[in-house]
Amino acid sequence: MTAQVGMAAPDFALDAVTGTEPGREFSRLSLNDFRKKWLVLFFYPADFTFVCPTEIKGFNDNLNTFRKLGAEVVGISTDSKWSHLAWIKRGDLGKLDYPLLADFTKKTARLYGVLDEETGVAKRGLFIIDPQGVIQYQVVHNADVGRSIEETIRVLEALQTGGLCPLGWKPGQKTLGR
């Protein structure tokens, strides 16, 4: 069964690039490491591509906003940790302040239902997972179309209201009665 809104998020334990200092580049991260926080988990197709760095840098540019909302951000692709590290060191992503996880076995992309079996890469999927580990939002984009950071933040804020948020709801606006 693949991940769906309202279900517990599938667990993962993956190698992650968490820095560039020699001997401290990698760590192992699991879903459990993000318990009690909101998690914005996004899959992207591949390192060294064209649309992906715009998204990765966009999430990084807005990381303080996510963290003020009690959320962490994690990126995942089916590339290896070595590929992630080489891409970061090449400078394409600037200084990255959140981890990129390596789903080299493709198991996590399959569990989240975003693996393109023909190409072997992850689709452009995004999941917002609540502090209890339940998926509250998911979206999958065509590989050629980048996601909206602003929409991700808006949805995260809407979910955190606990109310019913109508079409186009924005922070500060009233929610519908409950």
Side-chain angles (χ1 to χ4, degrees):
M1 180 174 260
T2 60
Q4 294 179 24
V5 169
M7 291 177 50
D11 199 10
F12 58 81
L14 299 169
D15 290 332
V17 176
T18 53
T20 57
E21 185 181 329
R24 306 187 90 178
E25 302 97 334
F26 307 114
S27 61
R28 190 109 173 133
L29 294 176
S30 71
L31 181 62
N32 199 47
D33 292 317
F34 302 98
R35 291 279 189 228
K36 301 194 179 175
K37 293 183 179 184
W38 289 86
L39 178 62
V40 176
L41 179 72
F42 73 94
F43 289 83
Y44 64 95
D47 295 345
F48 300 99
T49 57
F50 302 101
V51 176
C52 297
T54 67
E55 291 186 315
I56 292 168
K57 289 190 288 190
F59 278 107
N60 199 61
D61 291 346
N62 290 276
L63 194 56
N64 285 338
T65 300
F66 284 108
R67 288 187 172 155
K68 283 179 188 170
L69 294 169
E72 292 296 326
V73 174
V74 172
I76 303 178
S77 81
T78 57
D79 296 296
S80 72
K81 65 183 182 181
W82 302 106
S83 177
H84 290 341
L85 182 61
W87 198 26
I88 292 167
K89 283 187 169 184
R90 191 170 92 167
D92 295 13
L93 305 176
K95 183 183 180 313
L96 195 58
D97 294 315
Y98 64 88
L100 292 184
L101 280 64
D103 183 23
F104 201 60
T105 65
K106 303 169 182 29
K107 178 182 175 186
T108 303
R110 272 192 193 94
L111 287 172
Y112 279 81
V114 297
L115 183 66
D116 182 327
E117 294 287 350
E118 285 187 31
T119 63
V121 300
K123 295 175 185 172
R124 209 173 288 289
L126 181 138
F127 299 81
I128 297 178
I129 301 167
D130 72 19
Q132 290 73 45
V134 176
I135 297 170
Q136 296 298 331
Y137 177 79
Q138 71 185 73
V139 63
V140 179
H141 280 237
N142 176 292
D144 295 342
V145 179
R147 290 164 276 219
S148 168
I149 303 298
E150 293 79 14
E151 177 64 1
T152 303
I153 292 168
R154 184 192 78 82
V155 170
L156 175 62
E157 289 176 309
L159 290 168
Q160 291 178 345
T161 70
L164 301 172
C165 298
L167 175 75
W169 177 91
K170 291 188 174 58
Q173 293 178 339
K174 291 184 178 185
T175 58
L176 300 177
R178 226 206 243 197

